[in-house]
Amino acid sequence: MRGICGLDGVAEWARRGADVLAAGRIRGEAWFRLESDEARSFLLEVLPGFRMGTHKRLFGLLLQAWTGLHLPLEEGDWSLEGGRSFLETDGRSLFVPAVMPDREEALLAFYHTGAHLAYDSYEQDAIHALFAEIGMEHPPLDPDQRITWRPLFARFGEDLIRFQMIFDLCEDLRVDVALDREMPGYISRVVRAARKHGLPEGVAAAYYEQAQRYLEDYQLGRLSPDLADLTRSEAGIVDAFRVAMALYATSTLPPLTLTERARAYLPGHSPNAARPVYPRQKRGSDGPEVEGDSALGAAGHQEKPKEAPQAAEGNDPDMEIPPEDIQGTGGRVGVGIPLPAKVAGSGRGVKGPKGGWPYREWDYRHQQYKMDWARVHERKLREKDEARAIEIAAEYDGTLRRLKRALQAQKPTRMSPRRRQYEGEEPDLEAAVQFLIEKRAGRSPKASVYLQRRPQQRDTAVLLLADLSTSIMAEAGDSGVRVVDRLRAAMLLFGEALLEVGDPFAVYGFASKYHDEVLMYPIKRFTDRFDARARALLGGLSGRLATRMGAAIRHSSKLMLRSPAQRRLLLILSDGRPADYDDGGDARYLQEDTRMAVREALELGIHAFCISLDPQGGEYLPQVFGQGHYLVLPHLDSLPARLPEVYLRLRGHG
């Protein structure tokens, strides 16, 4: 780890680990064994290099400007032990590593990987033709219907990696030249970065030098005839494969291992067939693929339809949407492509029910508040499933027992004095003196002259606010597990953990249907008991409508001010960006309002922390909640255990 993060990085990681260990032995041991997600996540934060998390949105916009591609940016699965970091793609998304060596290499990586998508490295007919070259009528598919590349190279046996590198040299040359025609000067930037980087050690240097020479020869117009064929505008991946086959027969490039291969690529370049890919549709024009209002997804593939329940489990009446044509970013997360919001039909301007609490909403476009714009209504949840709650408790019994053991370390041990009591273990000298003075002065003082010692309590109250938008009913990837299933378990474990630690807490869900109908669902108020009724409500949770988060935060802040606790924590659980049906398709609008709501809460002494299941959360959460005040969980299955653990960490460190 020191070789990767440097001595200063490891020292910082160890200091944080000492705090974790002081809060609980089990968590601390997991930290130092690198067995916990929080330990590995913190190491990623101290890695040297250019941090990608806060810049992904900018790079995505630059990619869209030059290639016309608008792709989801997801967290890459590069690990601390993985050596050089690459930007990768599966044909639908870009997988972004935590860090890259510098900003220029990060930009080149976005441009180069995007160019492979824009210039048909993964186009369906081209890949079929590619496999036909080796006598396979159809390329093999994995269970997710992605094309696997290994059979393309398997015929080369132990020389598989060597041929794959030669093929990548040819395909990278074709794609780089195509991009350079659209982005003049791109190849010059790659060559400059390659020279600055210098040759790697070992056999990788031969491939690195060859790739650099190809680009320099192209600039000088002295490419060999076979390579020059790859610079034609109509050249494709099949041409690159044929040239690679010819080069392989005569090349003296040495064999290499996977570890050596990682060092053999030019800055911004990466293995083209490292991941299985979803085949893309043929571009409709000579230029790069640009999204349109078609049935194709962001990467040009047919979207897998996902059902957006129009009636949640239990037939909740809030799911009944007025008869209108609604398209926009709100509520339909994971269903189709986000399009500019537009409302037509009889439901336009529909008003919510009367009453509720009015709240202002920040409009960043005019840099002012819309007064009394959003209205919050508290509604009772009608769906209950006590049997499901019992099943969840049994399923996570081991996790709960482990949490309770950790909670024992959080229970107060220091004794705090309580002065001027009627009875106690010892006299309160100051109170006793005051009692005698008042007695001799002829008054009738109360005999509160004893000192009691009780365990010192942390005066902390927490409100858990859960996003109940429609998207929680969707499956997480292709796992078959719905977000709502893990959400129910997480909130149940959270309640059990808070019962153990003794802190006052409340649990609410929220959803929205336009600005004047933001719905808050009390599952447990501060004054309620966490009993069978509350557990049954959590067991029956389901998704509904959209996510107007700013109004929900303002209402939660109002509720928290009623708590007598000195420290107040608002813990928000969400799986996507703030969005609603009337946001005009402007993703930034409700995001900026949420940022202001978080700031207003802080001014009231309420600290907001967000746990997000959105893989793209790193793009907007730092701006909304601030660095260190959010956590993106990469794995849905870790949510039930991590939710109470995160609270304990926040509680323990204030």
Side-chain angles (χ1 to χ4, degrees), residues 394-459:
E395 180 181 353
Y396 288 91
D397 179 64
T399 302
L400 184 57
R401 281 190 280 109
R402 180 176 61 81
L403 282 170
K404 287 186 176 181
R405 286 197 300 271
L407 286 166
Q408 296 303 316
Q410 292 260 352
K411 288 204 170 179
T413 56
R414 291 182 57 193
M415 304 300 287
S416 175
R418 299 177 63 187
R419 309 177 65 87
R420 299 182 182 274
Q421 302 298 308
Y422 278 108
E423 56 185 17
E425 296 82 7
E426 57 185 286
D428 182 343
L429 295 180
E430 183 180 334
V433 170
Q434 184 67 31
F435 173 82
L436 290 173
I437 292 172
E438 293 186 10
K439 186 79 170 175
R440 290 185 179 182
R443 300 174 186 168
S444 301
K446 294 181 179 179
S448 305
V449 294
Y450 291 96
L451 194 68
Q452 292 182 355
R453 294 191 179 274
R454 294 290 181 266
Q456 184 178 11
Q457 298 283 347
R458 288 185 182 272
D459 195 13

Side-chain angles (χ1 to χ4, degrees), residues 15-96:
R15 283 193 294 269
R16 176 67 65 86
D19 293 337
V20 174
L21 186 60
R25 176 184 168 186
I26 295 175
R27 250 180 80 214
E29 290 181 352
W31 178 283
F32 283 105
R33 289 174 180 153
L34 283 177
E35 292 174 350
S36 64
D37 288 341
E38 59 178 342
R40 298 176 67 87
S41 297
F42 188 83
L43 273 174
L44 290 176
E45 293 177 10
V46 298
L47 278 175
F50 182 77
R51 315 214 64 77
M52 301 293 291
T54 57
H55 302 282
K56 287 193 298 185
R57 177 172 170 78
L58 170 64
F59 288 168
L61 290 172
L62 290 173
L63 176 67
Q64 184 178 6
W66 282 109
T67 67
L69 293 168
H70 180 63
L71 299 171
L73 305 182
E74 302 183 16
E75 298 292 334
D77 56 7
W78 173 80
S79 67
L80 294 166
E81 301 87 353
R84 181 178 171 185
S85 56
F86 293 122
L87 184 72
E88 298 178 295
T89 183
D90 64 355
R92 290 186 179 180
S93 305
L94 293 180
F95 296 89
V96 185

Side-chain angles (χ1 to χ4, degrees), residues 141-178:
L141 302 176
D142 70 358
D144 295 321
Q145 301 302 302
R146 298 175 300 182
I147 289 174
T148 56
W149 297 89
R150 189 171 181 83
L152 191 66
F153 309 119
R155 60 185 294 184
F156 297 95
E158 295 181 356
D159 216 18
L160 175 152
I161 299 176
R162 178 169 173 262
F163 174 77
Q164 183 184 345
M165 276 300 309
I166 294 173
F167 179 36
D168 278 358
L169 287 174
C170 297
E171 178 64 359
D172 284 349
L173 174 63
R174 180 188 76 85
V175 166
D176 282 343
V177 170

Side-chain angles (χ1 to χ4, degrees), residues 466-619:
D467 172 7
L468 300 185
S469 59
T470 304
S471 55
I472 67 170
M473 303 304 294
E475 294 179 2
D478 298 317
S479 64
V481 178
R482 297 182 304 172
V483 174
V484 69
D485 296 324
R486 296 294 181 259
L487 184 70
R488 292 167 177 165
M491 297 175 74
L492 276 165
L493 288 184
F494 176 84
E496 301 294 350
L498 267 291
L499 277 183
E500 182 74 16
V501 80
D503 288 345
F505 71 101
V507 180
Y508 283 75
F510 78 97
S512 64
K513 186 171 67 177
Y514 309 107
H515 65 91
D516 48 8
E517 196 168 350
V518 182
L519 307 169
M520 294 278 288
Y521 300 96
I523 298 167
K524 178 198 174 299
R525 294 182 171 90
F526 282 109
T527 55
D528 295 339
R529 298 178 60 186
F530 190 68
D531 52 15
R533 181 199 64 84
R535 293 181 177 93
L537 288 174
L538 291 175
L541 280 183
S542 58
R544 63 210 64 222
L545 307 175
T547 315
R548 207 175 200 97
M549 191 178 292
I553 289 175
R554 291 183 178 95
H555 189 68
S556 299
S557 298
K558 180 177 181 178
L559 295 172
M560 295 203 75
L561 290 177
R562 302 173 185 172
S563 169
Q566 295 177 353
R567 298 172 60 210
R568 300 182 179 96
L569 174 66
L570 177 59
L571 195 55
I572 300 163
L573 187 57
S574 178
D575 70 334
R577 292 176 182 268
D580 207 344
Y581 300 105
D582 58 355
D583 61 9
D586 183 352
R588 187 182 169 191
Y589 174 72
L590 288 179
Q591 180 177 309
E592 288 291 325
D593 175 60
T594 304
R595 182 177 66 84
M596 292 298 289
V598 170
R599 179 183 296 180
E600 293 163 20
L602 185 59
E603 291 172 352
L604 296 172
I606 298 167
H607 298 268
F609 188 94
C610 181
I611 300 177
S612 177
L613 303 174
D614 184 0
Q616 300 179 47
E619 297 178 11

